[in-house]
């Protein structure tokens, strides 16, 4: 007689609080098909009817069930792999690979058109991912980027893999590379958000064979954080990009339109079983540096002044999942200069963070769903790391600082405390900055959290300031998400009307998309360690999108029709901004994109606004009617980039704009040029002017670990001509040697541009791991 046994289990590797369910059918099934309850020594065998397919048995390393669920297996090595990219060890003959990749683009759930084979293996110290990527037409591969952490790696033929080391289906670490050995790494946070500025220690070797290319990646367990216990179950996925075909495929099935970003979606990763990791991997990293420089500053009457300094960074793993960082006399001389921007509005410009100490784990400190590095986002940021150690683009010396980041059960925790020195040149007192962030996973893919920021001294006032708030992300089904946020600030002399809130609903499927966003910012709300592009407003934003695919077209992959409405008024009820925007886009099969856009807008200037030197726009209301065209040439082309043209009314006059940005042309596999042009011509009743920004980045990559890059920029707005030339050599993993040359000149006078400042910097650091 058939019967059903229902077992509820809570294995320590499977859920961090979730229930694993296993249905055992006995009696009605033949003995060979009956399932048995595994011993505690192999908890990964429990409940994969819900998490994935049943685990594969060696020599198989992947199993797929009839419902499309996938489970993968890691293989223990008796001795470490010889990391040479050749794939000639015995494991590649005796163990069958993970294969049969599934397209996500262009035809979702169809088999990939090129064969990909993957092996996951491990020994006592490292976990390895090996790949054999078959290629039917090798001479068409797009392979032209060697530099580490350069976006061009993603725009090449590309392979990526991810580990969800806590198997929480929310967070993961991502590694990717191309056939030249160019590599990138990053963190996937909250199932889809990506921070590419995480730089762990890992090694890579690439090779070729007659039918394609191969690679072996080695990641030390010490570079990863994971749950307690030797026996582990992680989430795992891999992605293959055939750039010349514009095809993206994965081990698992993903929602239509996920594309490249699918590798940042651990929710859809397959379980990885059979893995045994060191139960204790506490790490102490000590990284001292020394620096020498020669500086000239003409306005300050400083000529060829010789200087030098030293400092120290320390990292210690308090627990397997929690690490502490300490920095003394922090220096960021090797960081690339900011790129110039044009600003024809009355609002402040946002510049992205580039300093490594603040970039790592940056996603943990995002609050209220506010992310991205663009100037179109008016939602407040409670933590903007450029408030620390920078003032108006000028460096403020950092004396020392500490950071605590990691996980404690279901909680993610981040704490920062940094002290800056007084600066007589910038008239700033010594200041202490504090940030504390906590998030807790709830439900299936949701999270709630809180944040606190504070500083001991506030510019322009006496006394300290702080801000604090709570937020939540609520994800349902595959594409529906709600975001909530409330925060309050406390600043000297500002009392009342000092809160902000946000409610956002987003449905983002491949064919349809809808967004509704409601934000309010009080008149006295001021996050002193944050960024507020706009103050004292109530905003309603709505957007609708229809994106049909054309599967029968050999030229066009997808069309997009989008409408967008924005309404902003002050807290007194005065309309300040009203926008209606329509957009049409064509995505071609070769990855080119054409876009046409029409914007009808009203903007109120509450007071006179100096838009350019000596040209003042009177206070009042203005209606703009702007039309723009843009064509983006895909990265498969010799010259890639976005060319755009804009024309329309601006403040009782007209504006014509031409730009070519995001450009890149490759001169062989090692030399690349990235020119950029932004040109604006504005004709107003109060005066006419032009703004021009011309820049070019030239990069020569000697090996994936050594490059020389120069960024030259001219801006007519501030009459400046600048150069930033850097050489970076990672002579051993984690240890670097930098040579930097900076120069700034004033172009306002006739004749040759006058020297304003110049510096030559040599910096050396050494990572010591214990």
């Amino acid at each position: 007689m058939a019967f059903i046994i229902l077992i509820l289990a809570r294995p320590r590797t499977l859920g961090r609080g979730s229930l694993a369910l296993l249905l055992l059918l006995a009696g009605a099934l033949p003995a060979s098909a009956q399932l048995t309850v595994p011993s505690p020594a192999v908890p990964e065998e429990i409940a994969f009817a819900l998490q994935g397919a049943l685990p594969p048995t060696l020599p198989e390393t992947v199993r797929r069930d009839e419902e499309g669920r996938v489970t993968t297996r890691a293989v223990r090595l008796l001795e470490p792999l010889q990391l040479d990219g050749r794939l000639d060890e015995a494991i590649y003959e005796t163990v069958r690979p993970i294969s049969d990749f599934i397209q996500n683009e262009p035809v979702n759930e169809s088999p990939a058109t090129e064969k990909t084979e993957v092996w996951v293996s491990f020994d006592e110290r490292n976990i390895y991912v090996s790949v054999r990527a078959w290629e039917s037409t090798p001479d068409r591969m797009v392979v032209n980027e060697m530099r580490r952490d350069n976006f061009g790696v993603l725009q090449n033929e590309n392979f990526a893999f991810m580990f969800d080391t806590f198997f929480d289906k929310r967070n993961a670490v991502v590694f990717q590379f191309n056939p030249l050995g160019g590599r990138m790494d990053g963190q996937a946070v909250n199932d889809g958000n990506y921070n590419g500025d995480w730089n762990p220690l890992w090694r890579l070797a690439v090779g070729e064979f007659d039918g394609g290319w191969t690679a072996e990646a080695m990641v030390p367990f010490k570079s990863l954080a994971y749950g307690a216990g030797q026996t582990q179950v992680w989430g795992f996925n891999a992605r293959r990009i055939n750039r010349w075909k514009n095809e993206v495929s994965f081990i698992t099935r993903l929602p239509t339109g996920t594309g490249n970003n699918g590798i940042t979606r651990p929710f859809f990763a397959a379980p990885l079983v059979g893995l045994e990791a060191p139960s204790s991997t506490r790490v102490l990293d000590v990284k001292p540096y020394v620096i020498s420089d020669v500086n000239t500053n003409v306005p300050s009457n400083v000529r060829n002044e010789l200087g030098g300094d030293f400092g120290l960074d320390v990292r210690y793993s308090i627990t397997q999942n929690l690490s502490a960082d300490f920095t003394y006399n922090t220096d960021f001389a090797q960081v690339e200069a900011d790129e110039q921007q044009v600003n024809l509005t009355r609002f402040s410009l946002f510049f992205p963070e580039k300093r490594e100490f603040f970039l790592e784990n940056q996603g943990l400190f995002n609050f209220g769903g506010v992310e991205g590095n663009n100037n179109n986002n008016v939602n407040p940021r409670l933590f903007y790391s450029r408030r620390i150690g920078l003032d108006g683009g000028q460096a403020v010396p950092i004396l020392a600082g500490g950071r605590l980041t990691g996980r404690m059960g279901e909680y993610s925790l981040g704490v920062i405390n940094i002290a800056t020195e007084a600066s007589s040149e910038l008239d700033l007192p010594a200041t202490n900055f504090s940030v504390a962030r906590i998030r807790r996973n709830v439900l299936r893919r949701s999270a709630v959290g809180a944040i606190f920021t504070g500083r001991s001294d506030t510019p322009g006032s006496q006394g300290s300031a702080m801000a604090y708030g709570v937020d939540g992300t609520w994800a349902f089904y595959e594409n529906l998400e709600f975001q909530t946020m409330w925060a309050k600030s406390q600043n000297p002399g500002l009392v009342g009307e000092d809160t902000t809130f946000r409610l956002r609903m987003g449905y983002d499927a491949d064919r349809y998309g809808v967004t509704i966003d409601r934000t309010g910012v009080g008149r006295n709300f001021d996050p002193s360690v944050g960024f507020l592009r706009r103050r004292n407003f109530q905003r309603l934003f709505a957007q609708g999108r229809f994106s049909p695919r054309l599967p029968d077209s050999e030229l066009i992959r997808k069309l997009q029709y989008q409408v967008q409405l924005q309404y902003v008024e002050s807290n007194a009820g005065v309309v300040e901004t009203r926008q209606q925007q329509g957009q049409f886009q064509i995505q071609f099969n070769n990855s080119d994109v054409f876009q046409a856009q029409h914007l009808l807008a009203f903007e109120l200037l509450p007071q006179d606004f100096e838009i350019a030197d000596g040209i003042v726009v009177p206070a009042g209301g203005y209606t703009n009617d702007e039309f723009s065209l843009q064509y983006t040439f895909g990265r498969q082309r010799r010259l890639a980039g976005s060319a755009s043209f804009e024309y329309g009314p601006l403040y009782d006059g007209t504006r014509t704009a031409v730009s070519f940005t995001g450009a890149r042309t490759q001169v062989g596999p090692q030399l690349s040029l990235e020119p950029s042009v932004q040109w604006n011509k504005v004709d107003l009743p109060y005066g006419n002017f032009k703004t021009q920004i011309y820049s070019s980045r030239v990069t020569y990559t000697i090996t994936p670990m050594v490059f020389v890059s120069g960024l030259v920029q001219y801006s007519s707005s501030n009459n400046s001509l600048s150069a930033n030339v850097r050489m970076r050599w990672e002579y051993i993993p984690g240890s670097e040697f930098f040579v930097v040359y900076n120069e700034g000149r004033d172009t306002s006078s006739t004749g040759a541009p006058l020297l304003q400042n110049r510096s030559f910097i040599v910096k050396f650091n050494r990572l010591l791991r214990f």
Side-chain angles (χ1 to χ4, degrees), residues 222-447:
K222 285 187 176 182
S223 293
L224 303 172
Y226 47 85
Q230 183 179 23
T231 302
Q232 298 279 315
V233 177
W234 291 1
F236 175 72
N237 209 347
R239 180 197 68 200
R240 170 90 182 269
I241 298 178
N242 282 92
R243 180 57 60 192
W244 72 271
K245 293 182 178 180
N246 201 15
E247 178 181 303
V248 183
S249 57
F250 296 85
I251 291 175
T252 65
R253 295 188 301 189
L254 280 84
T256 303
T258 307
N260 296 343
N261 293 332
I263 202 65
T264 69
R265 300 294 305 276
F267 183 78
F268 300 101
L272 176 69
V273 304
L275 183 62
E276 296 178 358
S279 57
S280 177
T281 58
R282 291 192 179 183
V283 180
L284 174 63
D285 287 342
V286 180
K287 194 171 184 177
Y289 81 84
V290 292
I291 188 171
S292 179
D293 53 44
V294 179
N295 289 283
T296 293
N297 191 300
V298 175
S300 300
N301 200 29
V302 174
R303 297 279 183 174
N304 298 325
E305 183 178 81
L306 182 64
D309 213 339
F310 68 92
L312 182 72
D313 293 329
V314 178
R315 166 169 290 185
Y316 177 66
S317 299
I318 299 174
T319 69
Q320 175 58 47
N321 311 321
L322 197 65
S323 63
D325 295 84
F326 172 78
T327 179
Y328 168 72
N329 202 21
T330 315
D331 176 81
F332 302 110
Q334 75 278 9
V335 175
E336 186 181 57
D338 288 325
E339 296 183 16
Q340 297 284 343
Q341 300 183 41
V342 174
N343 188 12
L344 299 178
T345 74
R346 60 187 174 95
F347 307 113
S348 301
L349 286 175
F350 178 87
F351 287 89
E353 179 61 85
K354 293 189 175 183
R355 298 169 297 173
E356 183 176 351
F357 181 84
F358 296 105
L359 287 170
E360 188 168 349
N361 291 312
Q362 185 182 56
L364 175 60
F365 295 92
N366 288 336
F367 177 79
V370 181
E371 297 164 350
N373 297 324
N374 63 74
N375 282 292
N376 296 322
N377 196 333
V378 300
N379 293 300
R381 299 171 185 260
L382 259 67
F383 177 49
Y384 180 43
S385 55
R386 287 177 64 108
R387 294 287 181 228
I388 305 174
L390 288 171
D391 184 78
Q394 300 296 311
V396 179
I398 294 178
L399 175 61
R403 178 179 60 197
L404 181 70
T405 55
R407 296 170 60 104
M408 299 178 65
E410 292 287 342
Y411 293 90
S412 298
L413 177 69
V415 179
I416 296 176
N417 188 271
I418 292 180
T420 59
E421 298 183 41
S423 172
S424 57
E425 181 180 350
L426 299 174
D427 192 25
L428 294 174
T431 307
N432 184 270
F433 296 85
S434 300
V435 183
R437 175 73 161 129
I438 188 170
R439 286 177 59 92
R440 190 192 192 285
N441 296 334
V442 296
L443 303 178
R444 198 177 177 195
R445 293 170 52 211
S446 303

